[in-house]
Amino acid sequence: MSAVIRYRTKPESADENQRLIENVFADLATETPAGLRYSSFRLADGVTFVHVVDGEGLPKLAAFQEFRRELGTRLADGLTREEATLIGSYAGTTVTTHG
């Protein structure tokens, strides 16, 4: 499963949203689900967030469940989720291509 998720939060909810995402990364550091790649970005406007997920295991994390619990109350409008096909990725000195 690969997906790109994008949404805008209410201005007063943006910092809390970031804190909850940081908790997900803290969980990932201890749980280390095999085969999962996950990135999250806060865009320059301060209220738009983009998540890129490739693999399984994220929904099982307690911190991710907490992040999702009241996500709807933090959103300024709906979110978009698009399935995606990974073409390639680069991390440091490692290039991975798919296809």
Side-chain angles (χ1 to χ4, degrees):
M1 170 198 88
S2 297
V4 177
I5 299 100
R6 180 183 175 115
Y7 58 88
R8 287 183 334 110
T9 62
K10 299 171 187 168
E12 65 273 13
S13 298
D15 288 341
E16 173 68 2
N17 196 68
Q18 179 171 331
R19 183 189 70 76
L20 291 165
I21 293 167
E22 289 168 350
N23 289 347
V24 172
F25 282 100
D27 241 11
L28 285 168
T30 60
E31 298 294 323
T32 62
L36 175 66
R37 283 180 284 193
Y38 174 62
S39 300
S40 183
F41 304 89
R42 185 173 182 177
L43 301 188
D45 67 6
V47 295
T48 302
F49 292 82
V50 176
H51 302 260
V52 180
V53 183
D54 182 37
E56 304 293 329
L58 197 57
K60 296 177 184 176
L61 297 174
F64 185 76
Q65 293 169 13
E66 176 67 20
F67 165 77
R68 294 275 319 261
R69 184 171 300 133
E70 295 187 13
L71 178 60
T73 64
R74 296 189 306 274
L75 295 181
D77 49 28
L79 61 81
T80 60
R81 176 190 171 96
E82 295 185 50
E83 296 301 315
T85 301
L86 181 63
I87 296 170
S89 62
Y90 173 79
T93 59
T94 305
V95 175
T96 306
T97 58
H98 303 266

